[in-house]
Amino acid sequence: MWWIYALLSAFFAALTAVLAKVGIKGIDSNLATAIRTVVILLLAWAIVFFKGGQTGISGLTKQNWIFLVLSGLATGLSWVFYFKALQIGKVSQVAPVDKASVAIALLLSVIFLGEPLTYKTVIAVLMIMGGTIILIFQ
C-alpha cells in the first residue's frame, strides 16, 4: 500500500512543478514560496483537525520536536531554492534535477540510519546522478 501513496506523492510533486512555474511568473520567488507555505500550513492543520490528530501533540518528545523542526527548516530551504530554480529555469530541467534528492536520500539513509547499501541501490544512485548531470549540462 505504501507505493500507492508514493505514486500519488510523485504525481502531485510533478503537478506542483508545472503549477508553480505558471504561478511565479512575474513575482518574487520568495513571495511565491511564502504563499505556497501558508496554503500548505492551512491544509495540513485542516487534515490534522479533521482526523483528530491534534490530541497527539502532548505526546511528542523532545527528539520529535527537534527533528521535526530541523526537517521543517530543510523543507523550507528546499522550497526557497526550488522556486528560485523554477523561476529562472525550465520545469523539464529543474524538476528532474530536484529529484536527485532521491539519490541523496538513499545515501544519507545508509550513512545516518544504517539502512543497507545494496548493489541495486548503488546502481540506482549512479543512474539518477548520471541523468541529473546530463540534464544540467544539456
Side-chain angles (χ1 to χ4, degrees), residues 101-111 115 117 121 124-125 128:
S101 63
V102 172
I104 297 166
L106 288 171
L107 294 174
L108 292 175
S109 73
V110 170
I111 295 167
E115 293 185 5
L117 181 63
T121 305
V125 167
I128 292 168

Side-chain angles (χ1 to χ4, degrees), residues 63 69 123:
Q63 181 176 342
V69 167
I123 292 168

Side-chain angles (χ1 to χ4, degrees), residues 12-136:
F12 284 108
L15 188 59
T16 296
V18 174
L19 295 172
K21 180 67 177 180
V22 176
I24 61 175
K25 186 173 181 156
I27 67 169
D28 179 69
S29 63
N30 293 319
L31 173 62
T33 302
I35 292 168
R36 175 186 176 191
T37 302
V38 169
V39 172
I40 293 167
L41 176 72
L42 294 173
L43 176 64
W45 278 109
I47 292 168
V48 167
F49 280 104
F50 178 76
K51 297 190 100 186
Q54 72 277 9
T55 58
I57 292 175
S58 61
L60 294 175
T61 67
K62 184 177 180 179
Q63 181 176 342
N64 293 139
W65 280 107
I66 290 169
F67 283 94
L68 289 173
V69 167
L70 290 173
S71 174
L73 291 171
T75 299
L77 290 170
S78 171
W79 291 352
V80 165
F81 294 124
Y82 183 70
F83 267 53
K84 190 62 178 177
L86 271 181
Q87 191 169 49
I88 58 179
K90 297 177 184 176
V91 171
S92 60
Q93 291 175 308
V94 172
V97 171
D98 176 66
K99 297 310 173 207
S101 63
V102 172
I104 297 166
L106 288 171
L107 294 174
L108 292 175
S109 73
V110 170
I111 295 167
F112 294 108
L113 302 176
E115 293 185 5
L117 181 63
T118 66
Y119 287 111
K120 285 182 183 179
T121 305
V122 171
I123 292 168
V125 167
L126 291 174
M127 290 175 72
I128 292 168
M129 296 311 290
T132 300
I133 290 167
I134 290 169
L135 285 169
I136 290 171

